[in-house]
Structures are given as structure tokens and as C-alpha cells.
């Protein structure tokens, strides 16, 4: 075992800490309160090169998906400052990585050019009342007409709706209902007039992600906008990578709450003793619980990332689910404890804990949700080798 | 980052797993029911070379405590077979490490190493009824200078292997000095020395095979060359925390043993009229997922504490050791509880090992440092900024 991060990309990780603290954190409450896309953050992240994190070396990027440990640690650090921004950045970087991995050489170059030009790519897979598994008819479908794909349908939870430059739609092409054959990525320019955004996003948490619903009517794109082949979006080496990043992002919420609580309890003094409350045993007990949850979940996230790198996505799949479960449950419990520690102040609007507590709730439900994670881990234990990678 | 087991000791971890499965597990019920010292296990462990693992290499050992992470994995694997044996093995191995690698002079180290190679068993007795090992106080057990060495009198509690070990390593205070950091010494006493009495009252709910009766010492003569180290050495930062660290691995092993058993049970058990194993029932499979994630997270916390201790020393790892002990003991308690609910009435049956793991895991919660103490220390150390955290 070795728990130090030794990577040529470590400089990016160190930079992420600074960006998080100096750039993202001061703005976080504004995007949250106004449910506004963190445009200024993205401008800064583009300038810092952080929207190119997953571009391969030949296109000028550090190809961070070949170094998943550093990748998730960067997300973790950014999320401490602003979970909305970290989550959206992860979506952009991950879909960029998938499209470039799956595309033809012309497509690769086109996507890299877009990203290098500061364009933001969104990924829209969610549909109401359906899952992305098994045989069924998707709401969003495309037909090839005169050399163009014509897309119709509806997507929900479309993060960065109206803000991203391109939408990557998860679309069923043709008449085959088997999504393992028919579900495809279609990269569409966001300014196509066939997109109608419902502007109804008014959420309790993750308000800055502006995840409106989108109606898609006769959006026609050239045939070369289809990237990869049928079934690619739900491949085991594709979809779980989103989940790994979510784990790191949601754990960042808990880490921010823990660090806030630590700082607060060191400085908060109550009369008449005037000792910092961190010297009170009930407070130490709470801090201890939070710290332990934090460290354990962080190890689970790092271990899943390491497994992805060392053994590949299939091997890492149950570990990613275990990490996602650990991270989101840990953040939910840490933010609960932090509010207890802060007392009534933690519930006031614009208090950082009030926001972090809300954000942590979304970790529990975002796919793969906690119950789904348990199911995946259980199946790996029951059906396959029960040992996780790295176990003696 | 790397989560693989240290290749230098990997063979031992694998061998421990085999020994636990083939030798310890089949006998565990007997030692538990009869509350009997697992002598045959110790003979087999000696034969396999395990009792000399923590001796330095020049004295025929593997210096296994040079990598506490690997050491903890050996304990964990052994405990999955028999918690009592793993605990006693840890007590002997860690006190032998202290005597021969840290505190003993060359002559002493050689002499004690020879005894170990001869199959002799060493116990270590520190506990007293109402006192802690900190600060300034008069211990019940104290040593007075005599013509040939020392005369020890007093009483010790929870003396594991009482009446079974060949040598007793006594933690006691030199008379006329109340500051434990100056007056606490280790004395190595052959157990057949006159003046030693055992109350034989050990009849415990759990860890029954450890035979931890109380002992009284009345003018027990100890030779001059069997006082080890100097005053305060036993509570030095690089000595004391190693005991608690090992406990975390041992008790987590009770959880690991229970987990392996219940998964196997749930995969085989079918209820009429369904012809599918109960492991496939969602309420049960989700609990298997929960247990697996908890177990993996706790094991990582134990390994992390060991890794920190090996790389940065026991003092820097002190916070992590307390975190590990807490999470290991709580996890083993929770897993054995869950497993019992899944097993139904079978879980209560004496002929299944689950009830034994369940009882043994309760001891993990209270054995020093108990879980409340661990939480307080973890929080206190974090508040003081000395946690050795990897997060920052």
C-alpha cells in the first residue's frame, strides 16, 4: 500500500486546491441562491486549462482519465469550493473523454478543437420514468433522413441546459428496442432552433447546475455527429466513470463541511470559560465521527480510482459503486453532524453549512443512487469473485 | 497510490488465510465453548514459523512489525478463523517485537528470541482495576529493589493466557516514583516463579479462549537482567499504540469471518416454495452490499493506520490508529448484528460460528482504547491539527 499521490499531474491537483479556495468558494453561495450557471467559474477554469483535463496528449491535454486517482482528487478539491462547478466540470470532462475515445480520427480532432476553443460540452441521458437498461423504447429517438439524423423527444435533468455549447444526447437510433444496440451518442450544437428549454429548474440542491428539461423537435444534425456505435453510452467502461467522479464530487461537500466545523470549533469560544469549543469532549466526539467517516470514504474513492487504472473499468465497477455509496452517505452524515456542531447558525440562509447540507442530499439520489450502489456491490459479491482488487 | 499488499510479506498474509481456514476455524468452537487456551493452535503457529515473525531478521524472524500494514493483514486473516487465537498471537507477537526490536539489549533480545524459537509463549500484563496508564499515580503493581534484582507485588487484571504462557511481561512501577513516564518498566518473569497466583475466574461472554483471569504477585523475584528498557518506555509513543492498532485488525476479523459465513449461508439457503437462494432477495442482498462496503472501508482504515505508522512513525499515526480502532470495532459489531438478522434462528445456534463472532465482536467495542475513547482522541487530535490526515 502507498497512500501518497505521486503523479506527473500533481501540479494540477495542487492548482485545483488554490482555484477551489480562491476562485470557486467565494462565489458558491451566489450561484446557489440565484440558481445560476457558474459562468465566471467556467471562464476561469477554461483559462486555467481545466476544461481540457481529459484531452489526450496529442491534442494538448494531460489525458487525466489515464490517471484517475489524480482526476478524482482534483474533483474532490474543486468540490470543496463549489460542488455545482465541480459536478459540471466533471460532466464536461467525462463526456469529452468518451467522445474522443469513441470517435473516428476526424471526430476526435473536431471535438478536441471545440474543447481547446473553450467550448463546453454537456451530456444529456436522463428520461422521465425510464432507466437506461434493457429493451424499451426511449423517448428520444433519431431517424436517418437524407444523410442527416433527425432527433425528436424529451430529456430531463439536462445540466447546463441553455449554457453549454454542445449537447451530447443519448438517443435511440432506428427501430431496435435493445438499448445495447440502439442507444447512441449524438453531438448536437446547442443553438439548434429545435431545442426548447423548459426553464423549470428550481431545486433544493445543486441549484447552479441549471438542469432544466429540454424538448427536442426535429433537431437535424449531419451523420458524422453520431459518435461511436450503438450501445456505447451504457458500456461498462463508460457509464461507471461518471459515477466515480460523482463520488469524489459529493465527498467534497462533506469535506467542506468537516473543514468548516474544524475551523469553527477551534475559534468559537463560549463564556465564561473562553476556551475554544474544540476542547469540549462532546464536540471532540462529533469531530472524531466526522473525521473517520471522511477518511474512510476518501480511501474508498481513491481505491476505486486506483482499481480503474490498475485493472480496468469492469473490475472497478463494484468498487465505484462502493465508493459512491460511501462518499454520499458520508457527506450526508458529516453535514448533519456539522449542523449539530454549529447550532442554530448552521440553519440560516447564506450560511455555508445550510448550503452544504442541502447539496449533500443530492449525492444520495444522483445515479447510481445509494440503493442501486448497494445492489451492484451485493451482486458482485454473490455472483462473482467477492474480493475487491488489492485485497490479499 | 497503490493498494496492493506489500510483496515482501504477501506470502505471510496468504499463509495466514490458509491457516485460519484449515487449522483455526475447525477448532474455534471448541476453545470458545470450553473456554480453553488454544494450545494446539499455538503449536501449529510455531511450526509454521508464525510465532517468530516479529523477531528481527538477525534473530531468525521476519521483522514483520517493520510493516505494520502487513502485520495487521496477518492478524485480520487469522481472526477470521479464530478471534481468540489471533488476539493472543498479536499479544505475543507485539510484546516480542517490543522486547527484541525496540527496548531489549542485545543479550536480552537473543535470550528471548531463543525462547520463542523453543516454542515458549510470552504474555503481557498491564491492566489494573481502576487506573489508566497515564499521568502520575501509584500503581497497584510495583517493584522493589532486592539483593539479586527486584521483588514484585501487586495485582493485574485481564491477564490473557494466565496459567498458560511461559513468560509474563509485567508492566509495573518502580517504588518511590509516581510519575509513570519515569517509573513504568517492563519485567520479564518466568511464569513458574514462586509468588504468582491465578484466580481462575475467567468466564466471559466473549473471547473465551483468551483465558484472561486475574493474577496476584507477592514478592515475586525478578533477576536484574530481566528488567527491559528504561523508565517510561512502555508508554512511549512507538510502543503503546501498536497494541491498540493490532486489536483493530483482530476485531475486524470477527466481522470478516461473520461476513464470509453469512454470504455463504445466503447463497445456499433456499426457502420453499421459492427455488432461489435468499441472497437474491433484495432486502437481503442490499444488506450484503452494506456489509461488504463497511468491511472494505474499515479494512482500508486499518491498513492506512499501519501504512502511516510504518512510514511516519507511531506518533504521527496516533490519530489514524484511533480512527482505525473505532471503525474496525464498530464495523465488526454492526456486521455481526446484521448477519444475525439475515441468518434468523440459525444465527443463534451454537453449532454455527456466527454467534461466536457476534459475541467476540462485542469485546472489540470495549477493549482499550474503547470506541468512545477513540472518538474523543480522533476529534481532539484533529482539532489540534495533528491528525496526520492525507486529505490536505
Amino acid at each position: 500500500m502507498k497512500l501518497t499521490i505521486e503523479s506527473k499531474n500533481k501540479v494540477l491537483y495542487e492548482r485545483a486546491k488554490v482555484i477551489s479556495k480562491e476562485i470557486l468558494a467565494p462565489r458558491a453561495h451566489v450561484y446557489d441562491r440565484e440558481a445560476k450557471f457558474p459562468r465566471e467559474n467556467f471562464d476561469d477554469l477554461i483559462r486555467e486549462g481545466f476544461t481540457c483535463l481529459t484531452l489526450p496528449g496529442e491534442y494538448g491535454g494531460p489525458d487525466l482519465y489515464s490517471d484517475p486517482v489524480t482526476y478524482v482528487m482534483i474533483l474532490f478539491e474543486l468540490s470543496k469550493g463549489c460542488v455545482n462547478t465541480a459536478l459540471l466540470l466533471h460532466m464536461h470532462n467525462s463526456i469529452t473523454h468518451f467522445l474522443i475515445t469513441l470517435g473516428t480520427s476526424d471526430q476526435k480532432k473536431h471535438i478536441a478543437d471545440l474543447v481547446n476553443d473553450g467550448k463546453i460540452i454537456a451530456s444529456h441521458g436522463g428520461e422521465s420514468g425510464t432507466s437506461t437498461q434493457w429493451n424499451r423504447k426511449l423517448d428520444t429517438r433519431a431517424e436517418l433522413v437524407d444523410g442527416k439524423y433527425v432527433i425528436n423527444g424529451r430529456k430531463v435533468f439536462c445540466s447546463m441546459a441553455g449554457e453549454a455549447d454542445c449537447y451530447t444526447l443519448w438517443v435511440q437510433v432506428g427501430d431496435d428496442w435493445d438499448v445495447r444496440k440502439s442507444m447512441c451518442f449524438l453531438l448536437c450544437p446547442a443553438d439548434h432552433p429545435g431545442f426548447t428549454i423548459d426553464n423549470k429548474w428550481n431545486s433544493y440542491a445543486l441549484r447552479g447546475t441549471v438542469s432544466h428539461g429540454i424538448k427536442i423537435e426535429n433537431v437535424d444534425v449531419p451523420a458524422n455527429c453520431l459518435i461511436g456505435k450503438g450501445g456505447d453510452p451504457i458500456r461498462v467502461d463508460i457509464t461507471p466513470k461518471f459515477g466515480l467522479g460523482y463520488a469524489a464530487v459529493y465527498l467534497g461537500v462533506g469535506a467542506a463541511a468537516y473543514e468548516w466545523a474544524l475551523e469553527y470549533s477551534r475559534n468559537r469560544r463560549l463564556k465564561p470559560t473562553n476556551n475554544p469549543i474544540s476542547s469540549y469532549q462532546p464536540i471532540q466526539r462529533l469531530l472524531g465521527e466526522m473525521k473517520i467517516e471522511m477518511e474512510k470514504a476518501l480511501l474508498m474513492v481513491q481505491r476505486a480510482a486506483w482499481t480503474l487504472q490498475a485493472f480496468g473499468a469492469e473490475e472497478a465497477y463494484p468498487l465505484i459503486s462502493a465508493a459512491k455509496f460511501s462518499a454520499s452517505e458520508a457527506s450526508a452524515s458529516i453535514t448533519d453532524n456539522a449542523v449539530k456542531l454549529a447550532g442554530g447558525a448552521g440553519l440560516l440562509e447564506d450560511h455555508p453549512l445550510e448550503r452544504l447540507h442541502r447539496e449533500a442530499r443530492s449525492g444520495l439520489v444522483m445515479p447510481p443512487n445509494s440503493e442501486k450502489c448497494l445492489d451492484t456491490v451485493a451482486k458482485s459479491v454473490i455472483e462473482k469473485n467477492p474480493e475487491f482488487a488489492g485485497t490479499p | 497510490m497503490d493498494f496492493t499488499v506489500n510483496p515482501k510479506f504477501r506470502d505471510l498474509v496468504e499463509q495466514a488465510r490458509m491457516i485460519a481456514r484449515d487449522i483455526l476455524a475447525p477448532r474455534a468452537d471448541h476453545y470458545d465453548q470450553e473456554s480453553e487456551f488454544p494450545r494446539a493452535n499455538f503449536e501449529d503457529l510455531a511450526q509454521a514459523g508464525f510465532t517468530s515473525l516479529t523477531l528481527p531478521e538477525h534473530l531468525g524472524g521476519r521483522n514483520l512489525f517493520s510493516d505494520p500494514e502487513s502485520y495487521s493483514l496477518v492478524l485480520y486473516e487469522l481472526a477470521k478463523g479464530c478471534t481468540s487465537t489471533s488476539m493472543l498471537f498479536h499479544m505475543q507477537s507485539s510484546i516480542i517485537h517490543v522486547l527484541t526490536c525496540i527496548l531489549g539489549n542485545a543479550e536480552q533480545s537473543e535470550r528471548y528470541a531463543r525462547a520463542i524459537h523453543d516454542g515458549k509463549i510470552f504474555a503481557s500484563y498491564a491492566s489494573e482495576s481502576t487506573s489508566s496508564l497515564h499521568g502520575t499515580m501509584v500503581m497497584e503493581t510495583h517493584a522493589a529493589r532486592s539483593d539479586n534484582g527486584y521483588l514484585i507485588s501487586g495485582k493485574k487484571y485481564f491477564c490473557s493466557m494466565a496459567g498458560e504462557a511461559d513468560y509474563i511481561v509485567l508492566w509495573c512501577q518502580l517504588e518511590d516514583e509516581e510519575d509513570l513516564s519515569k517509573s513504568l518498566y517492563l519485567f520479564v518473569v518466568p511464569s513458574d516463579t514462586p509468588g504468582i497466583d491465578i484466580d481462575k475466574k475467567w468466564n466471559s461472554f466473549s473471547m473465551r479462549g483468551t483465558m484472561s483471569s486475574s493474577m496476584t504477585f507477592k514478592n515475586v523475584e525478578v533477576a536484574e537482567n530481566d528488567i527491559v528498557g528504561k523508565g517510561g518506555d512502555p508508554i512511549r509513543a512507538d510502543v503503546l499504540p501498536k497494541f491498540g492498532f493490532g486489536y483493530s485488525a483482530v476485531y475486524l476479523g470477527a466481522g470478516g469471518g461473520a461476513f464470509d459465513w453469512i454470504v455463504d449461508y445466503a447463497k445456499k439457503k433456499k426457502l420453499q416454495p421459492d427455488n432461489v437462494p435468499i441472497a437474491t432477495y433484495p432486502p437481503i442482498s442490499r444488506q450484503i452490499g452494506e456489509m461488504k462496503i463497511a468491511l472494505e472501508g474499515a479494512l482500508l482504515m486499518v491498513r492506512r493506520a499501519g501504512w502511516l505508522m510504518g512510514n511516519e512513525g507511531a506518533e504521527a499515526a496516533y490519530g489514524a490508529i484511533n480512527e482505525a480502532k473505532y471503525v474496525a470495532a464498530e464495523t465488526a459489531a454492526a456486521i455481526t448484528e446484521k448477519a444475525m438478522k439475515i441468518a434468523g434462528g440459525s444465527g443463534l445456534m451454537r453449532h454455527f460460528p456466527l454467534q461466536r463472532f457476534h459475541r467476540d465482536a462485542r469485546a472489540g467495542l470495549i477493549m482499550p482504547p474503547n470506541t468512545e475513547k477513540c472518538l474523543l482522541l480522533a476529534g481532539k487530535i484533529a482539532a489540534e491539527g495533528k491528525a496526520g490526515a492525507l486529505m490536505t
Side-chain angles (χ1 to χ4, degrees), chain A residues 33-173:
Chain A
R33 193 174 50 218
E34 296 174 9
K36 210 178 97 185
F37 175 68
R39 174 67 61 187
E40 298 80 1
N41 286 350
F42 263 83
D43 289 344
D44 289 330
L45 288 167
I46 289 166
R47 196 163 40 245
E48 296 273 355
F50 273 61
T51 53
C52 301
L53 287 181
T54 57
L55 287 184
E58 55 190 300
Y59 301 112
D63 192 18
L64 264 196
Y65 255 116
S66 65
D67 181 5
V69 171
T70 310
Y71 179 67
V72 297
M73 289 310 290
I74 286 173
L75 293 177
F76 174 69
E77 289 298 336
L78 294 177
S79 176
K80 287 191 207 170
C82 175
V83 55
N84 287 285
T85 306
L87 189 65
L88 298 176
L89 185 76
H90 166 53
M91 289 169 168
H92 161 87
N93 278 321
S94 293
I95 197 66
T96 298
H97 164 72
F98 300 143
L99 295 178
I100 290 205
T101 305
L102 300 170
T104 63
S105 57
D106 283 349
Q107 289 172 326
K108 287 182 206 289
K109 185 172 180 312
H110 171 62
I111 292 154
D113 286 346
L114 285 172
V115 172
N116 276 322
D117 195 31
K119 298 286 188 274
I120 300 168
I121 304 181
S123 165
H124 298 156
E127 300 206 343
S128 180
T130 62
S131 87
T132 50
Q133 285 163 339
W134 316 123
N135 287 356
R136 63 197 172 71
K137 194 171 168 184
L138 284 180
D139 282 351
T140 309
R141 309 170 58 76
E143 302 294 339
L144 192 58
V145 181
D146 298 333
K148 282 188 151 189
Y149 284 105
V150 181
I151 315 166
N152 281 285
R154 176 163 194 89
K155 287 285 177 191
V156 296
F157 294 117
C158 302
S159 296
M160 306 192 274
E163 304 289 348
D165 300 287
C166 307
Y167 303 148
T168 310
L169 299 179
W170 303 34
V171 176
Q172 199 160 35
V173 177

Side-chain angles (χ1 to χ4, degrees), chain A residues 159-382:
Chain A
S159 296
M160 306 192 274
E163 304 289 348
D165 300 287
C166 307
Y167 303 148
T168 310
L169 299 179
W170 303 34
V171 176
Q172 199 160 35
V173 177
D175 295 326
D176 194 333
W177 284 24
D178 184 347
V179 291
R180 287 166 300 179
K181 293 177 190 152
S182 59
M183 189 192 265
C184 296
F185 285 132
L186 274 163
L187 181 63
C188 312
D191 57 4
H192 194 288
F195 288 118
T196 312
I197 296 165
D198 70 9
N199 287 317
K200 283 187 182 161
W201 182 252
N202 183 11
S203 166
Y204 171 71
L206 294 180
R207 293 170 56 80
T209 62
V210 290
S211 304
H212 305 297
I214 298 183
K215 200 157 93 186
I216 305 150
E217 289 169 302
N218 293 320
V219 170
D220 58 334
V221 293
N224 64 2
C225 289
L226 188 144
I227 317 276
K229 53 185 196 326
D232 275 349
I234 51 172
R235 265 166 51 174
V236 71
D237 57 338
I238 301 278
T239 327
K241 290 181 181 171
F242 281 112
L244 177 62
Y246 296 160
V249 167
Y250 287 116
L251 192 59
V253 177
Y258 168 70
E259 289 179 359
W260 185 91
L262 200 57
E263 190 62 26
Y264 176 81
S265 57
R266 282 171 181 161
N267 294 316
R268 175 78 170 161
R269 290 163 195 270
L270 299 178
K271 284 172 188 157
T273 64
N274 269 332
N275 293 325
I277 63 168
S278 64
S279 64
Y280 299 176
Q281 291 196 329
I283 299 288
Q284 290 175 353
R285 191 180 184 287
L286 271 179
L287 288 172
E289 271 187 16
M290 295 159 79
K291 171 85 162 45
I292 292 168
E293 279 296 301
M294 187 70 236
E295 297 284 0
K296 185 172 73 153
L298 185 59
L299 285 169
M300 291 296 278
V301 171
Q302 292 171 333
R303 201 253 190 105
W306 169 81
T307 304
L308 179 63
Q309 179 168 29
F311 297 93
E314 195 155 346
E315 181 89 26
Y317 183 48
L319 285 95
I320 288 172
S321 290
K324 170 71 173 39
F325 178 87
S326 303
S328 46
E329 296 286 333
S331 281
S333 120
I334 290 168
T335 50
D336 271 349
N337 274 339
V339 168
K340 288 182 205 164
L341 189 147
L347 302 174
L348 299 179
E349 197 177 319
D350 277 353
H351 192 283
L353 283 187
E354 183 269 344
R355 176 171 55 83
L356 293 170
H357 190 274
R358 282 186 288 111
E359 307 290 27
R361 302 311 112 178
S362 56
L364 302 170
V365 296
M366 187 149 181
N369 66 53
S370 286
E371 288 299 315
K372 172 74 180 165
C373 289
L374 288 181
D375 187 55
T376 303
V377 173
K379 284 205 170 100
S380 84
V381 170
I382 295 161

Side-chain angles (χ1 to χ4, degrees), chain A residues 2 266 285 291 371 386, chain B residues 2 286 292 323 372 383:
Chain A
K2 186 187 278 179
R266 282 171 181 161
R285 191 180 184 287
K291 171 85 162 45
E371 288 299 315
Chain B
D2 185 3
R286 91 177 277 288
K292 174 71 173 170
E323 292 166 14
E372 282 300 311

